[in-house]
Amino acid sequence: DVKVTQSSRYLVKRTGEKVFLECVQDMDHENMFWYRQDPGLGLRLIYFSYDVKMKEKGDIPEGYSVSREKKERFSLILESASTNQTSMYLCASSPGTDSGGGEQYFGPGTRLTVT
Amino acid sequence: AQSVTQLDSQVPVFEEAPVELRCNYSSSVSVYLFWYVQYPNQGLQLLLKYLSGSTLVKGINGFEAEFNKSQTSFHLRKPSVHISDTAEYFCAVSDRGRGGGFKTIFGAGTRLFVKA
């Protein structure tokens, strides 16, 4: 089974802190994604990566950055956390473009609260 | 541009009753369609997918969905629900974005609440 793990299930940070959210997948997937999930808005794509050291902005990249130094690891960084970044953050991975039509495998999520 | 509309934000239903969760999409190209389920305090997991072929797709836990190209719909159904089906359900559509990779858009979700 594909396993996607996220470093924390719950996280509480203060406004202005730098926050790192880590995601690791064990199935050698090329593609990795970071979403935030808010009630009534579904999942919104923050950043994604099709390969090591490659990243592309999603629909709501403002206030976030990412890093992918190794194929299995994709990190989301909040440079200076703000209260409007309180949310559930979901990491996902998917195989390369010829497989599965873009089916994604999700981690359990990190619920981040910024106070 | 793609978009996904889940027509009901909440669906309450009694145990053993049938249920349909509605999903409409728009896209200018051929698409792949998915339903994901999210149980409380968990990530999403794939319920079923349509890539090609038969328009009736069967998934896990007794769910099925029908792809209707003319109506651009992909509604999810189950003939008899259980309490354990209480969860949030997301419809998603993907197509090939720029760079060759898949771009996926998710609906806002439908919360299914099964009552005893």
Side-chain angles (χ1 to χ4, degrees):
Chain A
D1 280 351
V2 175
K3 192 164 184 182
V4 180
T5 57
Q6 295 183 228
S7 50
S8 305
R9 293 300 304 274
Y10 300 92
L11 210 52
V12 180
K13 296 292 181 179
R14 293 194 180 277
T15 302
E17 278 193 82
K18 190 169 185 175
V19 181
F20 293 86
L21 302 182
E22 306 284 341
C23 175
V24 177
Q25 52 95 2
D26 67 357
M27 282 302 291
D28 201 36
H29 284 171
E30 285 79 5
N31 309 317
M32 297 189 75
F33 309 83
W34 275 107
Y35 296 91
R36 63 177 284 174
Q37 181 182 12
D38 300 288
L41 298 178
L43 277 68
R44 292 180 292 166
L45 182 64
I46 305 172
Y47 267 96
F48 59 102
S49 169
Y50 289 143
D51 203 350
V52 176
K53 295 191 186 293
M54 177 274 180
K55 58 187 178 185
E56 284 202 32
K57 293 179 180 179
D59 300 317
I60 52 163
E62 296 78 20
Y64 303 94
S65 62
V66 291
S67 171
R68 193 169 182 197
E69 296 296 318
K70 293 185 177 182
K71 191 175 184 180
E72 68 271 18
R73 187 180 298 270
F74 193 35
S75 303
L76 180 69
I77 303 153
L78 287 67
E79 294 289 343
S80 178
S82 63
T83 55
N84 63 13
Q85 292 178 310
T86 291
S87 186
M88 171 72 91
Y89 290 87
L90 292 167
C91 176
S93 70
S94 72
T97 57
D98 292 334
S99 305
E103 173 184 347
Q104 297 186 16
Y105 298 81
F106 285 83
T110 296
R111 188 167 294 281
L112 173 67
T113 302
V114 183
T115 61
Chain B
Q2 296 168 312
S3 68
V4 179
T5 303
Q6 292 185 239
L7 294 149
D8 307 290
S9 59
Q10 294 187 69
V11 174
V13 63
F14 284 103
E15 193 174 19
E16 298 184 5
V19 70
E20 178 179 81
L21 306 184
R22 298 178 294 167
C23 173
N24 286 98
Y25 69 93
S26 67
S27 176
S28 58
V29 297
S30 296
V31 296
Y32 304 104
L33 297 158
F34 304 84
W35 276 98
Y36 290 85
V37 60
Q38 184 181 33
Y39 298 104
N41 298 315
Q42 295 186 26
L44 279 69
Q45 65 181 86
L46 183 72
L47 204 54
L48 49 78
K49 62 185 175 184
Y50 171 79
L51 303 181
S52 65
S54 172
T55 57
L56 184 62
V57 179
K58 293 191 184 296
I60 61 171
N61 300 339
F63 284 93
E64 63 182 31
E66 184 156 20
F67 169 55
N68 188 320
K69 189 174 182 179
S70 63
Q71 296 186 6
T72 59
S73 68
F74 191 54
H75 299 334
L76 181 70
R77 301 185 183 102
K78 187 169 182 178
S80 175
V81 295
H82 302 291
I83 297 286
S84 59
D85 292 323
T86 293
E88 189 149 24
Y89 293 79
F90 292 92
C91 182
V93 58
S94 71
D95 63 18
R96 291 188 185 277
R98 58 186 176 92
F102 288 101
K103 181 172 173 61
T104 302
I105 300 293
F106 289 83
T110 297
R111 189 169 297 276
L112 176 64
F113 178 59
V114 181
K115 300 178 284 187

